[in-house]
Amino acid sequence: DKPVRSLLDSVWSRARNEAKSGDIASQAFEYVESWISSIQNRVYSPAEARQNIPWSGDMYGAYCDVTDNGDWSFVGLTKAIMDDLLRKNGFKVSEMVRLWKGRGWLITDDWSKGYQRKVVIPKTAGESKNVIVPMYCFSAKSFWDGRGRTSPK
C-alpha cells in the first residue's frame, strides 16, 4: 500500500509543521519571560514609586502592578523593549501580539489597535501627576498557564 503510506507521510509531515508553527506564540512568549526574569531590576512597580524613584523609560522597560503582599494582575513592556526583544529573536511583532491577544494573554484597552493599553505609573512624592505609558500588558494568567511562574518581581 505505497499510495496510502505516501498519503499518511504527507499528512503527518504537514501536521508536524503546523503544530511547530502553531506554537510560535509560546516560543516568543518564552523570550519575554526570560527577559523579565533576567532584568527584574528594570521592572518598575508601585514599590519604586513609594521609594520616590521616578519612572524612566530609559531605566525601566516594564511595569508590574505587584502589591506589597505579592498579588498582581499584569506586567507590561514598552513598545521599544517588545519590538527589540522580538525582532532580535526572529519574531514578527504584529504577528505575535495578534496571537497573544487571541490566546487572552494580552490585556488591552481601546487604544493602539487593541494590542496595547495605557498603563498608569504611580507618581512619586515629588511628582504632580501619574505618568501614562502605552505598553503591551500580559495578564498574570499568561504566566501561570502551565508555566509555574508566580510573579515577575
Coordinates of all heavy atoms in Angstrom, one line a residue, residues 59-153:
M59 N 15.4 53.8 31.9 CA 15.9 52.9 33.0 C 15.1 51.7 33.2 O 15.6 50.6 33.5 CB 15.9 53.7 34.3 CG 16.4 53.0 35.5 SD 16.1 54.0 37.0 CE 17.8 54.1 37.6
Y60 N 13.8 51.8 33.0 CA 12.9 50.7 33.1 C 12.2 50.3 31.8 O 11.9 51.2 31.0 CB 11.8 51.0 34.1 CG 12.3 51.3 35.5 CD1 12.5 52.6 35.9 CD2 12.6 50.3 36.4 CE1 12.9 52.9 37.2 CE2 13.1 50.5 37.6 CZ 13.3 51.8 38.0 OH 13.8 52.1 39.3
G61 N 12.0 49.1 31.5 CA 11.4 48.7 30.3 C 10.1 48.0 30.5 O 9.4 47.6 29.5
A62 N 9.7 47.8 31.8 CA 8.5 47.1 32.1 C 7.9 47.6 33.4 O 8.6 48.3 34.2 CB 8.8 45.6 32.2
Y63 N 6.6 47.3 33.6 CA 5.9 47.7 34.8 C 5.1 46.5 35.2 O 4.4 45.9 34.4 CB 5.0 48.9 34.5 CG 4.1 49.3 35.7 CD1 4.7 50.0 36.8 CD2 2.8 48.9 35.8 CE1 3.9 50.3 37.9 CE2 2.0 49.2 36.9 CZ 2.6 49.9 37.9 OH 1.8 50.2 39.0
C64 N 5.0 46.3 36.6 CA 4.2 45.3 37.1 C 3.4 45.9 38.3 O 4.0 46.6 39.1 CB 5.0 44.1 37.7 SG 4.0 42.8 38.3
D65 N 2.1 45.6 38.3 CA 1.3 46.2 39.4 C 1.3 45.4 40.7 O 0.3 45.4 41.4 CB -0.2 46.4 38.8 CG -0.9 45.0 38.6 OD1 -0.2 44.0 38.5 OD2 -2.1 45.0 38.6
V66 N 2.4 44.8 41.0 CA 2.5 44.0 42.2 C 2.3 44.8 43.5 O 2.8 45.9 43.6 CB 3.9 43.2 42.2 CG1 5.0 44.2 42.4 CG2 3.9 42.1 43.3
T67 N 1.5 44.2 44.4 CA 1.3 44.8 45.7 C 2.3 44.3 46.7 O 3.0 43.4 46.5 CB -0.2 44.5 46.2 OG1 -0.3 43.1 46.4 CG2 -1.2 44.9 45.1
D68 N 2.2 44.9 47.9 CA 3.1 44.5 49.0 C 3.0 43.1 49.4 O 3.9 42.4 49.8 CB 3.0 45.4 50.2 CG 3.5 46.8 49.9 OD1 4.4 47.0 49.1 OD2 3.0 47.8 50.6
N69 N 1.7 42.5 49.2 CA 1.5 41.1 49.6 C 1.8 40.2 48.4 O 1.5 39.0 48.5 CB 0.2 40.9 50.2 CG -1.0 41.2 49.2 OD1 -0.7 41.5 48.1 ND2 -2.2 41.1 49.7
G70 N 2.3 40.7 47.3 CA 2.7 39.8 46.2 C 1.6 39.6 45.1 O 1.9 38.9 44.1
D71 N 0.4 40.1 45.3 CA -0.6 40.0 44.3 C -0.4 40.9 43.1 O 0.1 42.0 43.3 CB -2.0 40.3 44.9 CG -2.5 39.4 45.9 OD1 -2.0 38.2 45.9 OD2 -3.2 39.8 46.8
W72 N -0.7 40.4 41.9 CA -0.5 41.2 40.7 C -1.4 40.7 39.6 O -1.8 39.6 39.6 CB 1.0 41.2 40.2 CG 1.5 39.9 39.9 CD1 1.8 38.9 40.7 CD2 1.7 39.4 38.5 NE1 2.3 37.8 40.0 CE2 2.2 38.1 38.7 CE3 1.6 40.0 37.3 CZ2 2.6 37.3 37.6 CZ3 2.0 39.2 36.2 CH2 2.5 37.9 36.3
S73 N -1.8 41.6 38.7 CA -2.7 41.2 37.6 C -2.0 41.3 36.2 O -2.5 40.6 35.3 CB -3.9 42.1 37.6 OG -3.6 43.4 37.4
F74 N -0.9 42.1 36.1 CA -0.3 42.1 34.8 C 1.1 42.6 34.9 O 1.5 43.2 35.9 CB -1.1 43.1 33.8 CG -0.9 44.5 34.1 CD1 0.1 45.3 33.5 CD2 -1.7 45.2 35.0 CE1 0.3 46.6 33.7 CE2 -1.5 46.5 35.3 CZ -0.5 47.3 34.7
V75 N 1.9 42.4 33.8 CA 3.2 43.0 33.6 C 3.2 43.6 32.2 O 2.7 42.9 31.3 CB 4.4 42.1 33.9 CG1 4.3 40.9 32.9 CG2 5.7 42.8 33.8
G76 N 3.6 44.8 32.1 CA 3.6 45.5 30.8 C 5.0 45.8 30.3 O 5.9 46.1 31.1
L77 N 5.2 45.7 29.0 CA 6.5 46.0 28.4 C 6.3 47.2 27.4 O 5.3 47.2 26.7 CB 7.1 44.8 27.6 CG 7.9 43.8 28.4 CD1 6.9 43.0 29.3 CD2 8.6 42.9 27.5
T78 N 7.3 48.1 27.4 CA 7.2 49.2 26.5 C 7.3 48.7 25.0 O 7.9 47.6 24.8 CB 8.3 50.3 26.7 OG1 9.5 49.6 26.5 CG2 8.2 50.8 28.1
K79 N 6.8 49.5 24.1 CA 6.9 49.1 22.7 C 8.3 48.9 22.3 O 8.7 48.0 21.5 CB 6.2 50.2 21.9 CG 6.2 49.8 20.4 CD 5.4 50.8 19.6 CE 5.4 50.6 18.1 NZ 5.8 49.4 17.5
A80 N 9.2 49.8 22.7 CA 10.6 49.8 22.3 C 11.2 48.4 22.7 O 12.0 47.8 22.0 CB 11.4 50.9 22.8
I81 N 11.0 48.0 24.0 CA 11.5 46.8 24.5 C 10.9 45.6 23.8 O 11.7 44.7 23.3 CB 11.3 46.7 26.0 CG1 12.1 47.7 26.8 CG2 11.5 45.3 26.5 CD1 13.6 47.5 26.8
M82 N 9.6 45.6 23.6 CA 9.0 44.5 22.9 C 9.5 44.3 21.5 O 9.8 43.2 21.0 CB 7.4 44.7 22.9 CG 6.7 43.5 22.3 SD 6.8 42.0 23.2 CE 5.6 42.4 24.5
D83 N 9.5 45.4 20.7 CA 10.0 45.4 19.4 C 11.4 44.8 19.3 O 11.7 44.0 18.5 CB 9.9 46.8 18.7 CG 8.5 47.3 18.4 OD1 7.6 46.5 18.6 OD2 8.4 48.4 18.0
D84 N 12.3 45.3 20.1 CA 13.7 44.9 20.1 C 13.8 43.4 20.5 O 14.5 42.7 19.8 CB 14.5 45.8 21.0 CG 16.0 45.4 21.0 OD1 16.6 45.5 20.0 OD2 16.5 45.0 22.1
L85 N 13.1 43.0 21.5 CA 13.2 41.6 22.0 C 12.7 40.6 20.9 O 13.4 39.6 20.7 CB 12.3 41.5 23.3 CG 12.3 40.2 23.9 CD1 13.6 39.7 24.4 CD2 11.3 40.2 25.1
L86 N 11.6 40.9 20.3 CA 11.0 40.0 19.4 C 11.8 40.0 18.1 O 12.1 38.9 17.5 CB 9.5 40.3 19.1 CG 8.6 40.1 20.2 CD1 7.2 40.5 19.9 CD2 8.6 38.6 20.7
R87 N 12.2 41.2 17.6 CA 12.9 41.2 16.3 C 14.3 40.6 16.4 O 14.6 39.8 15.5 CB 13.0 42.7 15.8 CG 11.7 43.2 15.3 CD 11.9 44.5 14.5 NE 10.6 44.9 14.0 CZ 10.0 46.0 14.4 NH1 10.6 46.9 15.2 NH2 8.8 46.3 13.9
K88 N 15.0 40.8 17.5 CA 16.3 40.2 17.5 C 16.3 38.7 17.7 O 17.3 38.0 17.5 CB 17.2 40.9 18.6 CG 16.9 40.5 20.0 CD 17.8 41.3 20.9 CE 17.5 41.0 22.4 NZ 18.3 41.8 23.3
N89 N 15.1 38.2 18.1 CA 14.9 36.7 18.2 C 14.1 36.1 17.0 O 13.7 35.0 17.1 CB 14.3 36.4 19.5 CG 15.2 36.6 20.7 OD1 16.2 35.9 20.8 ND2 15.0 37.6 21.5
G90 N 14.0 36.9 16.0 CA 13.4 36.4 14.7 C 11.9 36.3 14.7 O 11.3 35.6 13.8
F91 N 11.2 37.1 15.5 CA 9.7 37.1 15.5 C 9.2 38.4 14.9 O 9.8 39.4 15.1 CB 9.2 36.9 16.9 CG 9.5 35.6 17.6 CD1 10.6 35.5 18.5 CD2 8.9 34.4 17.2 CE1 11.0 34.3 19.0 CE2 9.2 33.2 17.8 CZ 10.3 33.2 18.7
K92 N 8.0 38.3 14.3 CA 7.3 39.5 13.8 C 6.4 40.0 14.9 O 5.5 39.3 15.4 CB 6.5 39.2 12.6 CG 7.3 38.7 11.4 CD 6.4 38.4 10.2 CE 7.3 38.0 9.0 NZ 6.5 37.6 7.9
V93 N 6.6 41.3 15.3 CA 5.9 41.8 16.4 C 4.4 41.8 16.1 O 3.6 41.3 17.0 CB 6.3 43.3 16.7 CG1 5.5 43.9 17.8 CG2 7.8 43.4 17.0
S94 N 3.9 42.2 15.0 CA 2.5 42.3 14.7 C 1.8 40.9 14.8 O 0.7 40.7 15.3 CB 2.2 42.9 13.3 OG 2.8 42.2 12.3
E95 N 2.5 39.9 14.3 CA 2.0 38.5 14.4 C 1.9 38.0 15.8 O 0.9 37.4 16.2 CB 2.9 37.6 13.5 CG 2.4 36.1 13.6 CD 3.3 35.2 12.8 OE1 4.4 35.6 12.3 OE2 2.9 34.0 12.7
M96 N 3.0 38.3 16.6 CA 3.0 37.8 18.0 C 1.9 38.4 18.8 O 1.2 37.7 19.6 CB 4.3 38.0 18.6 CG 5.5 37.1 18.0 SD 5.1 35.4 18.0 CE 4.6 35.2 16.3
V97 N 1.7 39.7 18.7 CA 0.7 40.4 19.6 C -0.7 40.0 19.2 O -1.6 39.8 20.0 CB 0.9 41.9 19.6 CG1 2.2 42.3 20.3 CG2 0.8 42.6 18.2
R98 N -0.9 39.7 17.9 CA -2.2 39.2 17.4 C -2.4 37.8 18.0 O -3.5 37.5 18.5 CB -2.2 39.2 15.9 CG -3.5 38.7 15.3 CD -3.5 38.6 13.8 NE -2.4 37.8 13.3 CZ -2.3 36.5 13.3 NH1 -3.3 35.8 13.8 NH2 -1.3 35.8 12.8
L99 N -1.4 36.9 18.0 CA -1.6 35.6 18.5 C -1.8 35.6 20.0 O -2.6 34.9 20.6 CB -0.4 34.7 18.2 CG -0.2 34.3 16.7 CD1 1.1 33.7 16.4 CD2 -1.4 33.4 16.2
W100 N -1.0 36.5 20.7 CA -1.1 36.6 22.2 C -2.5 37.1 22.6 O -3.1 36.6 23.5 CB 0.0 37.5 22.7 CG 1.4 36.9 22.6 CD1 1.7 35.6 22.6 CD2 2.6 37.6 22.6 NE1 3.0 35.4 22.5 CE2 3.6 36.6 22.5 CE3 2.9 38.9 22.6 CZ2 5.0 37.0 22.5 CZ3 4.2 39.3 22.6 CH2 5.3 38.3 22.5
K101 N -3.0 38.1 21.8 CA -4.3 38.6 22.1 C -5.4 37.5 21.9 O -6.3 37.4 22.7 CB -4.6 39.8 21.3 CG -6.0 40.5 21.7 CD -6.3 41.7 21.0 CE -7.6 42.3 21.5 NZ -8.0 43.5 20.8
G102 N -5.2 36.8 20.9 CA -6.1 35.7 20.6 C -6.2 34.6 21.7 O -7.2 34.0 21.9
R103 N -5.1 34.4 22.3 CA -5.0 33.5 23.4 C -5.4 34.1 24.8 O -5.5 33.4 25.8 CB -3.6 32.9 23.6 CG -3.2 32.0 22.4 CD -1.9 31.4 22.7 NE -1.5 30.5 21.5 CZ -0.6 29.6 21.6 NH1 0.2 29.5 22.6 NH2 -0.3 28.9 20.5
G104 N -5.7 35.4 24.8 CA -6.1 36.0 26.0 C -5.0 36.4 26.9 O -5.2 36.7 28.1
W105 N -3.8 36.4 26.4 CA -2.6 36.7 27.2 C -2.4 38.2 27.4 O -1.8 38.6 28.4 CB -1.4 36.1 26.7 CG -1.4 34.6 26.7 CD1 -2.3 33.8 27.3 CD2 -0.4 33.7 26.1 NE1 -1.9 32.5 27.1 CE2 -0.8 32.4 26.4 CE3 0.8 33.9 25.4 CZ2 -0.1 31.3 25.9 CZ3 1.5 32.8 24.9 CH2 1.1 31.5 25.2
L106 N -2.8 39.0 26.4 CA -2.6 40.4 26.4 C -3.9 41.1 27.0 O -5.0 40.8 26.6 CB -2.4 41.0 25.0 CG -1.0 40.8 24.4 CD1 -1.0 41.4 23.0 CD2 0.1 41.4 25.3
I107 N -3.7 42.0 27.9 CA -4.7 42.8 28.5 C -4.7 44.1 27.7 O -3.6 44.8 27.6 CB -4.5 43.1 30.0 CG1 -4.5 41.8 30.8 CG2 -5.6 44.1 30.5 CD1 -4.0 42.0 32.2
T108 N -5.8 44.5 27.1 CA -5.8 45.7 26.2 C -6.9 46.6 26.6 O -7.8 46.3 27.4 CB -6.0 45.2 24.7 OG1 -7.2 44.6 24.6 CG2 -4.9 44.3 24.3
D109 N -6.9 47.8 25.9 CA -8.0 48.7 26.0 C -8.2 49.2 24.6 O -7.8 48.5 23.6 CB -7.7 49.9 27.0 CG -6.4 50.6 26.7 OD1 -5.9 50.6 25.5 OD2 -5.9 51.3 27.6
D110 N -9.0 50.2 24.4 CA -9.4 50.6 23.1 C -8.3 51.4 22.3 O -8.5 52.0 21.3 CB -10.7 51.5 23.1 CG -11.8 50.6 23.5 OD1 -11.8 49.4 23.3 OD2 -12.8 51.2 24.1
W111 N -7.1 51.5 22.9 CA -6.0 52.3 22.4 C -5.1 51.5 21.5 O -4.9 50.3 21.8 CB -5.3 52.9 23.6 CG -4.3 54.0 23.2 CD1 -4.6 55.2 22.9 CD2 -2.9 53.8 23.0 NE1 -3.5 55.9 22.6 CE2 -2.4 55.1 22.7 CE3 -2.1 52.7 23.2 CZ2 -1.1 55.3 22.4 CZ3 -0.7 53.0 22.9 CH2 -0.3 54.2 22.6
S112 N -4.5 52.0 20.5 CA -3.5 51.4 19.7 C -3.9 50.1 19.1 O -3.2 49.1 19.3 CB -2.2 51.2 20.5 OG -1.2 50.7 19.7
K113 N -4.9 50.1 18.3 CA -5.3 49.0 17.5 C -5.7 47.8 18.4 O -5.7 46.6 17.9 CB -4.3 48.5 16.5 CG -4.0 49.6 15.4 CD -2.9 49.1 14.5 CE -2.5 50.2 13.5 NZ -1.4 49.8 12.7
G114 N -5.9 48.0 19.7 CA -6.3 46.9 20.6 C -5.2 46.0 21.1 O -5.5 45.1 21.8
Y115 N -3.9 46.3 20.8 CA -2.9 45.4 21.2 C -2.1 46.0 22.5 O -1.4 45.2 23.2 CB -1.9 45.1 20.1 CG -2.5 44.4 19.0 CD1 -2.5 44.8 17.7 CD2 -3.1 43.1 19.3 CE1 -3.0 44.1 16.7 CE2 -3.6 42.4 18.3 CZ -3.6 42.9 17.0 OH -4.2 42.1 16.0
Q116 N -2.2 47.3 22.7 CA -1.5 47.9 23.8 C -2.6 48.4 24.8 O -3.8 48.5 24.4 CB -0.6 49.0 23.4 CG 0.6 48.5 22.7 CD 1.6 49.7 22.4 OE1 1.1 50.8 22.1 NE2 2.9 49.4 22.4
R117 N -2.2 48.8 25.9 CA -3.1 49.5 26.8 C -2.3 50.6 27.5 O -1.1 50.5 27.6 CB -3.7 48.5 27.8 CG -3.1 48.5 29.2 CD -3.8 47.5 30.1 NE -4.3 48.1 31.3 CZ -4.5 47.5 32.4 NH1 -4.4 46.2 32.4 NH2 -4.9 48.1 33.4
K118 N -3.0 51.7 27.9 CA -2.4 52.8 28.6 C -2.2 52.3 30.1 O -3.2 52.0 30.7 CB -3.2 54.0 28.5 CG -3.2 54.6 27.1 CD -4.1 55.9 27.1 CE -4.1 56.4 25.7 NZ -5.0 57.6 25.6
V119 N -1.0 52.4 30.6 CA -0.7 52.0 31.9 C -0.4 53.2 32.7 O 0.4 54.1 32.3 CB 0.6 51.0 32.0 CG1 0.9 50.7 33.4 CG2 0.3 49.7 31.2
V120 N -1.1 53.3 33.9 CA -0.9 54.5 34.8 C 0.2 54.1 35.7 O 0.1 53.2 36.6 CB -2.2 54.8 35.5 CG1 -1.9 56.0 36.5 CG2 -3.3 55.2 34.6
I121 N 1.4 54.8 35.6 CA 2.5 54.6 36.5 C 2.3 55.5 37.7 O 2.1 56.7 37.5 CB 3.8 54.9 35.8 CG1 4.0 54.2 34.5 CG2 5.0 54.7 36.7 CD1 4.2 52.7 34.5
P122 N 2.3 55.0 38.9 CA 2.1 55.8 40.1 C 3.1 56.9 40.2 O 4.3 56.7 40.0 CB 2.2 54.9 41.3 CG 2.1 53.5 40.7 CD 2.6 53.6 39.3
K123 N 2.6 58.1 40.7 CA 3.5 59.2 40.8 C 4.3 59.1 42.1 O 3.9 58.4 43.1 CB 2.7 60.5 40.9 CG 1.8 60.7 42.0 CD 1.0 62.0 42.0 CE 0.0 62.0 43.1 NZ -0.8 63.2 43.1
T124 N 5.5 59.7 42.2 CA 6.3 59.7 43.4 C 5.9 60.9 44.2 O 5.1 61.8 43.7 CB 7.8 59.8 43.1 OG1 8.1 61.0 42.4 CG2 8.2 58.6 42.2
A125 N 6.4 61.0 45.4 CA 6.1 62.2 46.2 C 6.4 63.5 45.6 O 5.8 64.5 45.8 CB 6.7 62.1 47.6
G126 N 7.5 63.5 44.8 CA 7.9 64.7 44.1 C 7.3 65.1 42.8 O 7.5 66.1 42.2
E127 N 6.4 64.2 42.3 CA 5.7 64.4 41.0 C 4.3 64.9 41.3 O 3.6 64.5 42.2 CB 5.7 63.1 40.2 CG 7.1 62.7 39.8 CD 7.1 61.3 39.1 OE1 6.5 60.4 39.6 OE2 7.8 61.2 38.1
S128 N 3.8 65.7 40.3 CA 2.5 66.3 40.5 C 1.4 65.4 39.9 O 0.2 65.5 40.3 CB 2.4 67.6 39.9 OG 2.7 67.5 38.5
K129 N 1.8 64.5 39.0 CA 0.7 63.6 38.4 C 1.3 62.2 38.0 O 2.5 62.1 37.9 CB 0.1 64.3 37.2 CG 1.0 64.6 36.1 CD 0.3 65.3 35.0 CE 1.3 65.6 33.9 NZ 0.7 66.2 32.7
N130 N 0.4 61.3 37.8 CA 0.8 60.0 37.4 C 1.4 60.1 35.9 O 1.0 61.0 35.2 CB -0.3 59.0 37.4 CG -0.8 58.7 38.8 OD1 -0.1 58.7 39.7 ND2 -2.1 58.4 38.9
V131 N 2.2 59.1 35.5 CA 2.7 59.0 34.2 C 1.9 58.0 33.5 O 1.6 56.9 34.0 CB 4.2 58.6 34.2 CG1 4.7 58.5 32.8 CG2 5.0 59.6 35.0
I132 N 1.5 58.2 32.2 CA 0.7 57.2 31.4 C 1.6 56.8 30.3 O 2.1 57.6 29.5 CB -0.6 57.9 30.9 CG1 -1.5 58.3 32.1 CG2 -1.3 56.9 30.0 CD1 -2.8 59.0 31.7
V133 N 1.8 55.5 30.3 CA 2.7 54.8 29.3 C 2.0 53.7 28.5 O 1.4 52.9 29.1 CB 3.9 54.2 30.0 CG1 4.9 53.6 29.0 CG2 4.7 55.3 30.8
P134 N 2.0 53.8 27.2 CA 1.4 52.7 26.4 C 2.3 51.4 26.5 O 3.5 51.6 26.3 CB 1.3 53.2 25.0 CG 2.3 54.3 24.9 CD 2.5 54.8 26.3
M135 N 1.7 50.3 26.8 CA 2.5 49.1 27.0 C 1.8 47.8 26.5 O 0.5 47.9 26.4 CB 2.9 48.8 28.5 CG 3.8 49.8 29.1 SD 4.2 49.3 30.7 CE 5.5 50.5 31.1
Y136 N 2.5 46.8 26.1 CA 2.0 45.5 25.9 C 1.9 44.8 27.2 O 2.9 44.6 27.9 CB 2.9 44.7 24.9 CG 3.0 45.3 23.5 CD1 4.1 46.0 23.1 CD2 1.9 45.1 22.6 CE1 4.1 46.5 21.8 CE2 2.0 45.6 21.3 CZ 3.1 46.3 21.0 OH 3.2 46.8 19.7
C137 N 0.7 44.6 27.7 CA 0.4 44.1 29.0 C 0.0 42.6 29.0 O -1.1 42.2 28.5 CB -0.6 44.9 29.7 SG -0.1 46.6 29.9
F138 N 0.8 41.8 29.6 CA 0.5 40.3 29.8 C -0.2 40.1 31.1 O 0.2 40.5 32.1 CB 1.8 39.5 29.7 CG 2.5 39.6 28.4 CD1 3.5 40.5 28.2 CD2 2.1 38.7 27.4 CE1 4.1 40.6 26.9 CE2 2.7 38.8 26.1 CZ 3.7 39.7 25.9
S139 N -1.3 39.4 31.0 CA -2.1 39.0 32.2 C -1.3 38.1 33.1 O -0.4 37.3 32.6 CB -3.4 38.4 31.8 OG -3.2 37.1 31.3
A140 N -1.5 38.1 34.4 CA -0.9 37.1 35.3 C -1.2 35.7 34.8 O -0.3 34.8 34.9 CB -1.4 37.4 36.7
K141 N -2.4 35.5 34.3 CA -2.8 34.1 33.9 C -1.8 33.6 32.8 O -1.5 32.4 32.7 CB -4.2 34.2 33.4 CG -4.7 32.8 32.9 CD -6.2 32.9 32.4 CE -6.7 31.6 32.0 NZ -6.0 30.9 30.9
S142 N -1.4 34.5 31.9 CA -0.5 34.1 30.8 C 0.8 33.5 31.4 O 1.4 32.6 30.8 CB -0.2 35.2 29.9 OG 0.5 36.3 30.5
F143 N 1.2 33.9 32.6 CA 2.5 33.4 33.2 C 2.2 32.1 33.9 O 3.0 31.3 34.1 CB 3.1 34.4 34.2 CG 3.7 35.6 33.5 CD1 2.9 36.7 33.2 CD2 5.0 35.6 33.1 CE1 3.5 37.8 32.5 CE2 5.6 36.7 32.5 CZ 4.8 37.8 32.2
W144 N 0.9 31.9 34.3 CA 0.6 30.7 35.1 C 0.1 29.5 34.3 O 0.1 28.4 34.7 CB -0.6 31.0 36.1 CG -0.2 32.0 37.1 CD1 1.1 32.2 37.6 CD2 -1.0 32.9 37.8 NE1 1.1 33.2 38.6 CE2 -0.2 33.6 38.7 CE3 -2.4 33.2 37.8 CZ2 -0.8 34.6 39.6 CZ3 -2.9 34.1 38.6 CH2 -2.1 34.8 39.5
D145 N -0.2 29.8 33.0 CA -0.7 28.7 32.1 C 0.3 27.6 31.9 O 1.0 27.6 30.9 CB -1.2 29.3 30.8 CG -2.5 29.9 30.8 OD1 -3.3 29.7 31.8 OD2 -2.9 30.6 29.9
G146 N 0.4 26.7 32.9 CA 1.3 25.6 32.8 C 2.8 26.0 32.9 O 3.7 25.2 32.6
R147 N 3.1 27.2 33.4 CA 4.5 27.6 33.4 C 5.0 27.6 34.9 O 6.2 27.7 35.1 CB 4.6 28.9 32.8 CG 4.3 28.9 31.3 CD 4.5 30.3 30.7 NE 4.3 30.2 29.3 CZ 3.1 30.3 28.7 NH1 2.0 30.4 29.4 NH2 3.0 30.2 27.4
G148 N 4.1 27.7 35.8 CA 4.5 27.7 37.2 C 5.1 29.0 37.8 O 5.5 29.1 38.9
R149 N 5.1 30.0 37.0 CA 5.6 31.3 37.5 C 4.6 32.0 38.4 O 3.4 31.8 38.2 CB 5.9 32.3 36.3 CG 7.0 32.0 35.4 CD 8.4 32.4 35.9 NE 8.5 33.8 36.3 CZ 8.8 34.8 35.6 NH1 9.1 34.6 34.3 NH2 8.9 36.0 36.1
T150 N 5.0 32.7 39.4 CA 4.0 33.4 40.2 C 4.1 34.9 40.2 O 3.2 35.6 40.4 CB 4.2 32.9 41.7 OG1 5.5 33.2 42.1 CG2 3.8 31.4 41.8
S151 N 5.3 35.4 39.9 CA 5.4 36.8 39.9 C 6.7 37.2 39.1 O 7.7 36.6 39.2 CB 5.6 37.4 41.3 OG 5.8 38.8 41.2
P152 N 6.6 38.3 38.3 CA 7.7 38.8 37.6 C 8.7 39.6 38.4 O 9.7 40.0 38.0 CB 7.1 39.6 36.4 CG 5.9 40.1 37.0 CD 5.4 39.0 37.9
K153 N 8.3 39.9 39.6 CA 9.2 40.7 40.5 C 9.7 39.8 41.6 O 9.1 38.9 42.1 CB 8.4 41.8 41.2 CG 8.2 43.0 40.3 CD 9.4 43.8 39.9 CE 9.7 44.9 40.9 NZ 10.8 45.6 40.5

